[in-house]
Amino acid sequence: MHALVNGVAAAMGMGGRVTVVPFVRGGGGGEGAAAVRGLTGCTGYPAGAFRGGEGGDVLALDQALMARPVALVATIAHMLGHLRLVGQHGAPVQRAIREHLIEVHAVYTGFGIFGANAAVDVEVDPRANTRAAGSLGLSQGRARFHHCGYLTEEVHGYALACFAFMRGESRPQWLKHLDTNPRAYTRQGLAYLAQHPAERLLAIRADIVPRTGAQTPDVS
């Protein structure tokens, strides 16, 4: 886990090492971990929490995420985004804007596929034989749906399309790694951008980039 976290941090351009500690659930999801260890949690990623400061960067992760590796990497990327943007560059004070900005940050540091695929994660029993169960009239276990993050699959797809467009990729090879819905939304976004001049993308970009200077946000 330590190697994975620090590998993602290095890919994001973060200097120094990040300490990884077990996630302690205190009855309030991410906020529970914050109460126990002085860490800050996120409602969109309830299996992780973070803390930055003079004592060094710390990430708390729920070991249960090991069974869902895509959600694990998405959680790590989001938590590190908090540490990088809030600690190093400043980020908007308003919580909703800050969380969305950090989601987009993950896309533009190369981890958008994980966030897009983890936005809606369907978990089924790998031992189940649904065809046999149906033919015998047996009840089938319901699939479990996990939701991560603050962006929908559609918004993730458009963010990835903008990322590809700005890199000059009209048919990015990495599309094959996206789940069905995010891949379709990314293709729709690319088709839209192909029909508009580059100035259109710059206008969109200008609308979402905060115009205020760096501030010290309340990350409680």
Side-chain angles (χ1 to χ4, degrees), residues 154-174:
E154 185 173 8
V155 175
H156 267 295
Y158 187 66
L160 285 165
C162 292
F163 174 67
F165 183 84
M166 295 178 73
R167 286 162 53 94
E169 297 178 293
S170 58
R171 296 182 179 180
Q173 294 296 314
W174 43 261

Side-chain angles (χ1 to χ4, degrees), residues 4-217:
L4 176 60
V5 169
N6 283 283
V8 175
M12 284 186 165
M14 295 178 63
R17 291 188 61 79
V18 180
T19 300
V20 182
V21 299
F23 183 91
V24 178
R25 197 174 297 279
E31 291 75 5
V36 174
R37 292 184 174 273
L39 305 178
T40 300
C42 295
T43 55
Y45 292 92
F50 65 94
R51 183 183 68 220
E54 296 181 359
D57 293 334
V58 179
L59 234 62
L61 294 167
D62 192 334
Q63 295 295 316
L65 276 177
M66 293 290 287
R68 296 167 52 219
V70 173
L72 171 62
V73 175
T75 299
I76 292 171
H78 187 84
M79 298 300 154
L80 291 177
H82 271 284
L83 293 172
R84 186 167 191 253
L85 292 179
V86 176
Q88 298 179 16
H89 302 291
V93 175
Q94 187 176 343
R95 182 186 293 259
I97 295 177
R98 183 170 68 241
E99 296 294 355
H100 285 78
L101 178 63
I102 290 171
E103 292 281 72
V104 175
H105 169 266
V107 173
Y108 285 86
T109 51
F111 293 92
I113 290 176
F114 295 95
N117 288 349
V120 179
D121 184 18
V122 183
E123 181 182 7
V124 296
D125 187 346
R127 300 166 299 178
N129 187 326
T130 55
R131 180 176 298 180
S135 65
L136 296 173
L138 302 176
S139 61
Q140 304 173 34
R142 293 184 178 179
R144 297 179 61 188
F145 290 85
H146 301 278
H147 299 271
C148 280
Y150 297 88
L151 303 181
T152 64
E153 291 179 312
E154 185 173 8
V155 175
H156 267 295
Y158 187 66
L160 285 165
C162 292
F163 174 67
F165 183 84
M166 295 178 73
R167 286 162 53 94
E169 297 178 293
S170 58
R171 296 182 179 180
Q173 294 296 314
W174 43 261
L175 277 179
K176 62 186 178 184
H177 299 296
L178 285 168
D179 290 345
T180 302
N181 287 350
R183 183 167 64 248
Y185 291 133
T186 302
R187 285 175 172 161
Q188 290 174 11
L190 285 168
Y192 169 81
L193 292 170
Q195 297 173 9
H196 294 77
E199 290 78 5
R200 174 59 179 164
L201 180 58
L202 293 176
I204 295 170
R205 182 182 179 189
D207 287 339
I208 64 173
V209 173
R211 293 179 173 80
T212 57
Q215 306 176 59
T216 303

